[in-house]
Amino acid sequence: MKEITPTSRRILIIASAIMIAIILLSSSELLQAQPVSNQSTAQQTSLSDTAFARIKHIKAGVLNIGYAEVGPANGNPVILLHGWPYDINSYAQVAPILAAQGYHIIVPYLRGYGSTTFLSAKSVRNGQQAALAEDVIALMDALHIQKATLGGFDWGARTADIVAALYPQRVNALVSVSGYLIGSQQGNKAPLPPKAEQAWWYQYYFATERGKAGYAANTKAFNKLIWQTASPDWKFTDADYNRSAAAFNNPDHVAIVIHNYRWRLGLAKGEAKYDALEKQLALAPAITVPTVTLEGDANGAPHPAPADYAKRFTGKYIHHTLTGGIGHNLPQEAPEAFANAIIEADSLAK
């Protein structure tokens, strides 16, 4: 065997070091070459949702409202509103992002959801649009919040739109998924093209007593179907759905949902105390506060085209359409994008 001299040993050590460096460099380049995960994709976000740790309650208007609160109490207030058939967990990932930026986040259960209940058994189980908007004002008053940034989707977007339109002095800025959703019973009398009417199948189902009984008997299965059709590319898990489905156990849930859709079609009366507000809303009032609207590229629920509602926002205004298979439950499917929209809307107000 040939003897290894000191010089040869040094050469071997240098050569080994070079080889290790090459391997490390190649590994680094390989890692960098891997595609970066897109946090706005529906498939990614459903895997890490977490429930809010604590639910608080406060008497506000006709309700005892259950709500989650995240972030510093002295931060700029942000109120996030969910829709049907969803709940506050649509914002379980959005809230921490905003709290880390110093915002004070309030996420209430709408009437008929979660732990929000009526203070009186005699109160009308009313789901009309003006009633939900007045709930938000009552909540703000109860929490001593003079002005807040509002964000919402589905019922939550409509509610936020109404508050911004009727009470602009109470709204710092607005983020609305699917844009301008304020309607009226008179406006809803106009027939839509057949494909659009088909998308509203559940509204007509709820107009019947069979539909009311069917929804009461199959609430959980019914709403899971809506999740699937409204967000066809979102791969949510059973745990994701069950976490939110618990909110449908509210004793007033079925009554509120049925009344909401029947009221839209003029098949159920609202309360007289909201008549003046509904007259204002029937005129399709402009929204003057700084606004960011969002839409997902895979929204399977009925929704207007962004070009159709842009003119309704007469203040500072930005629209974003998100790609990557984002459906109707946009805050839960694309939490970073929604949180960024809140921050963007807030910056427009400065």
Side-chain angles (χ1 to χ4, degrees):
M1 179 181 293
K2 184 178 179 179
E3 181 181 358
I4 299 177
T5 65
T7 300
S8 300
R9 185 177 293 108
R10 284 195 296 273
I11 293 172
L12 286 172
I13 292 172
I14 293 171
S16 298
I18 292 172
M19 289 299 295
I20 291 172
I22 291 172
I23 291 171
L24 290 174
L25 180 60
S26 298
S27 298
S28 176
E29 290 175 345
L30 181 60
L31 287 172
Q32 293 177 16
Q34 299 301 311
V36 178
S37 62
N38 182 354
Q39 290 299 321
S40 69
T41 59
Q43 291 81 359
Q44 189 116 29
T45 58
S46 69
L47 302 178
S48 58
D49 288 342
T50 56
F52 290 101
R54 180 187 175 195
I55 302 300
K56 299 181 178 181
H57 293 86
I58 192 166
K59 293 180 180 179
V62 299
L63 301 172
N64 181 24
I65 297 179
Y67 66 98
E69 186 173 21
V70 182
N74 62 349
N76 291 334
V78 175
I79 299 176
L80 303 176
L81 304 170
H82 68 82
W84 172 83
Y86 306 95
D87 82 325
I88 64 173
N89 285 294
S90 291
Y91 297 104
Q93 290 179 290
V94 173
I97 297 173
L98 293 175
Q101 296 297 316
Y103 290 97
H104 179 202
I105 317 301
I106 303 293
V107 193
Y109 283 111
L110 301 185
R111 54 170 62 192
Y113 295 80
S115 58
T116 292
T117 56
F118 286 87
L119 295 173
S120 172
K122 296 180 180 179
S123 293
V124 179
R125 272 40 180 180
N126 181 354
Q128 76 181 102
Q129 59 180 2
L132 272 70
E134 287 296 290
D135 291 345
V136 174
I137 294 297
L139 175 63
M140 292 177 67
D141 289 344
L143 294 174
H144 305 291
I145 296 174
Q146 180 57 36
K147 200 170 187 178
T149 294
L150 303 184
F153 73 103
D154 195 84
W155 289 19
R158 178 177 296 106
T159 302
D161 287 349
I162 292 171
V163 175
L166 298 183
Y167 304 101
Q169 73 277 12
R170 305 296 300 271
V171 180
N172 176 60
L174 170 69
V175 173
S176 180
V177 176
S178 297
Y180 191 93
L181 298 177
I182 299 172
S184 69
Q185 289 182 320
Q186 184 62 36
N188 288 335
K189 290 181 179 180
L192 299 171
K195 188 174 182 180
E197 295 284 19
Q198 183 185 36
W200 282 111
W201 67 271
Y202 52 86
Q203 179 173 239
Y204 305 117
Y205 180 64
F206 290 160
T208 68
E209 287 304 298
R210 176 190 174 99
K212 180 179 179 180
Y215 187 63
N218 304 294
T219 307
K220 188 174 180 180
F222 191 102
N223 290 345
K224 190 171 186 178
L225 174 63
I226 297 298
W227 276 42
Q228 292 165 339
T229 56
S231 298
D233 293 343
W234 181 29
K235 308 304 179 185
F236 63 87
T237 66
D238 287 342
D240 293 327
Y241 178 69
N242 291 334
R243 187 179 301 117
S244 290
F248 312 146
N249 293 327
N250 183 289
D252 303 308
H253 178 76
V254 172
I256 294 296
V257 171
I258 297 301
H259 185 269
N260 178 285
Y261 287 102
R262 289 186 178 183
W263 179 88
R264 296 189 200 189
L265 295 176
L267 302 176
K269 293 182 179 180
E271 292 180 83
K273 64 181 178 180
Y274 300 119
D275 286 352
L277 296 179
E278 293 295 354
K279 286 181 180 179
Q280 294 181 61
L281 296 175
L283 299 175
I287 292 176
T288 60
V289 304
T291 300
V292 174
T293 58
L294 298 172
E295 189 56 81
D297 65 339
N299 186 355
H303 62 279
D308 293 343
Y309 56 68
K311 63 183 179 182
R312 299 294 184 187
F313 299 94
T314 59
K316 295 179 181 178
Y317 175 70
I318 297 173
H319 174 78
H320 301 292
T321 295
L322 306 184
T323 60
I326 305 303
H328 192 60
N329 186 5
L330 191 149
Q332 193 166 0
E333 298 176 56
E336 288 187 6
F338 191 92
N340 287 339
I342 292 287
I343 296 169
E344 183 176 36
D346 183 51
S347 70
L348 292 177
K350 295 178 180 177

